[in-house]
Amino acid sequence: LLEEEIKPLPTILTPRCLLHKREISLHTTRTIYCTMVLELLEGEKAVVSHDDSETYAVDTEIIIDAPPEKVWAVLTDFDKLAEWSPGMIHFEGEFRKDGPAKVTFLVGIGSHTQVFDHPLVHFEEGRMFGWSAPLPMVHMKDNHKYIVDPLEGDDTKCQFIQTDECQGHGAHLVGSMFANGMLQAYVKFNRALKKRVEEMEQREI
């Protein structure tokens, strides 16, 4: 079978996000799927992919009707996270490249919280921050990023991107479960951030 006869399928999300397909080449098989049953907003993305090595990747995006600097300001106003966020609710530490930090998340149902020590291995002032830390109980590590990018051709809007990965030997057993849990949590966080920022923008008009 000639390599040029095999073309990877495009990554397309249906409006209801019920997707399961396989991208096949001579060298790799990549499965892209999403188990959420919900309506995606215009410009929204939510997908989990698995490249058959030891990695499940989580990719989410949403369009926010506000300039990037306004979104960044709300996202990094850590003292007020708990007022609106259904996920990350507290950040304590040094907000800089490789800065030590403790991050508190709401987990499960109700008001249960979990605190992680997360050095900021990903950091670009005004655009991105995140971490990659071990998940020792399940023999994996994550690679979580929060990214605020300008929307090309429209300086009144921006694209908020939240990505993560489940990497390691444990991915064969629990990677799918963890990744899909992350996916749903990140979509909720993205929408809450959008709501918070756009409501603040409306009050300023």
Side-chain angles (χ1 to χ4, degrees):
L1 188 60
L2 298 178
E3 186 169 3
E4 57 265 26
E5 293 177 355
I6 304 175
K7 299 179 180 179
L9 297 172
T11 302
I12 300 174
L13 286 177
T14 63
R16 189 167 286 278
C17 192
L18 294 175
L19 178 67
H20 185 224
K21 68 184 181 63
R22 297 179 74 81
E23 295 181 352
I24 304 173
S25 72
L26 290 178
H27 309 292
T28 62
T29 301
R30 184 176 181 85
T31 303
I32 297 178
Y33 54 89
C34 174
T35 60
M36 292 189 306
V37 182
L38 54 80
E39 295 285 347
L40 290 181
L41 305 175
E42 183 178 355
E44 191 174 33
K45 174 183 177 181
V47 66
V48 171
S49 59
H50 176 45
D51 63 7
D52 286 342
S53 60
E54 293 182 346
T55 302
Y56 281 82
V58 180
D59 294 289
T60 67
E61 300 175 5
I62 198 166
I63 302 298
I64 299 179
D65 294 334
E69 60 272 16
K70 296 288 186 69
V71 176
W72 181 259
V74 172
L75 179 64
T76 59
D77 187 355
F78 300 124
D79 290 337
K80 295 182 179 178
L81 276 177
E83 295 180 8
W84 61 268
S85 172
M88 178 175 61
I89 59 168
H90 186 66
F91 177 98
E92 179 183 349
E94 299 178 25
F95 194 56
R96 59 172 176 80
K97 174 69 174 175
D98 296 322
K102 289 186 177 181
V103 187
T104 304
F105 291 89
L106 287 173
V107 294
I109 299 174
S111 57
H112 298 290
T113 60
Q114 192 166 1
V115 180
F116 297 91
D117 287 314
H118 280 322
L120 295 182
V121 296
H122 307 296
F123 188 82
E124 183 179 336
E125 179 62 43
R127 179 178 178 266
M128 175 181 67
F129 69 93
W131 44 77
S132 180
L135 303 170
M137 295 297 292
V138 290
H139 304 288
M140 294 190 299
K141 67 176 182 178
D142 68 351
N143 190 30
H144 196 170
K145 298 177 185 177
Y146 300 85
I147 305 169
V148 180
D149 275 342
L151 198 63
E152 186 174 354
D154 190 343
D155 59 7
T156 67
K157 299 181 180 181
C158 73
Q159 185 175 52
F160 177 68
I161 302 166
Q162 190 173 182
T163 67
D164 211 332
E165 292 178 333
C166 297
Q167 302 173 323
H169 298 301
H172 293 296
L173 296 175
V174 295
S176 176
M177 179 184 70
F178 268 70
N180 279 285
M182 290 173 174
L183 187 79
Q184 301 210 31
Y186 296 171
V187 168
K188 290 178 181 178
F189 180 93
N190 297 357
R191 291 181 176 183
L193 175 62
K194 174 182 173 73
K195 183 175 185 290
R196 175 77 166 191
V197 174
E198 292 181 356
E199 285 179 349
M200 293 178 66
E201 284 289 281
Q202 285 297 315
R203 287 198 292 267
E204 292 179 6
I205 296 176

